[in-house]
Amino acid sequence: MAAERPEHNISMRELVEYIAKAIVDDPSKVRVEEVSGPNSTILELHVAPEDVGRIIGRNGRIINSMRTILRVMAVRQGKRVVLELV
């Protein structure tokens, strides 16, 4: 018998915003805009200019990790999502 996993109703936009606010120095400047298209959704992450490096991380590790998490969420929902740092 397989164990049931609890379903959490957090949107991908809310998840990106939550992670970004935990990383940056100025969380009040974090903004995520969602642009929905016919085949995919684009999440545009806006942060203060001095926090861009924190979001990118060394060799792009942080932003790529965020993209991986979103990809997993999107596949489970049967969607395609792209995260862009604006």
Side-chain angles (χ1 to χ4, degrees), residues 50-69:
E50 58 272 7
D51 287 328
V52 170
R54 288 183 174 279
I55 293 293
I56 294 173
R58 184 169 286 141
N59 295 322
R61 287 185 182 170
I62 294 175
I63 191 76
N64 286 332
S65 296
M66 291 171 70
R67 288 177 175 140
T68 300
I69 292 168

Side-chain angles (χ1 to χ4, degrees), residues 15-33:
L15 180 63
V16 169
E17 189 174 331
Y18 177 79
I19 294 171
K21 284 183 177 182
I23 295 171
V24 299
D25 284 334
D26 188 1
S28 66
K29 300 278 182 165
V30 172
R31 192 174 84 248
V32 180
E33 293 180 8

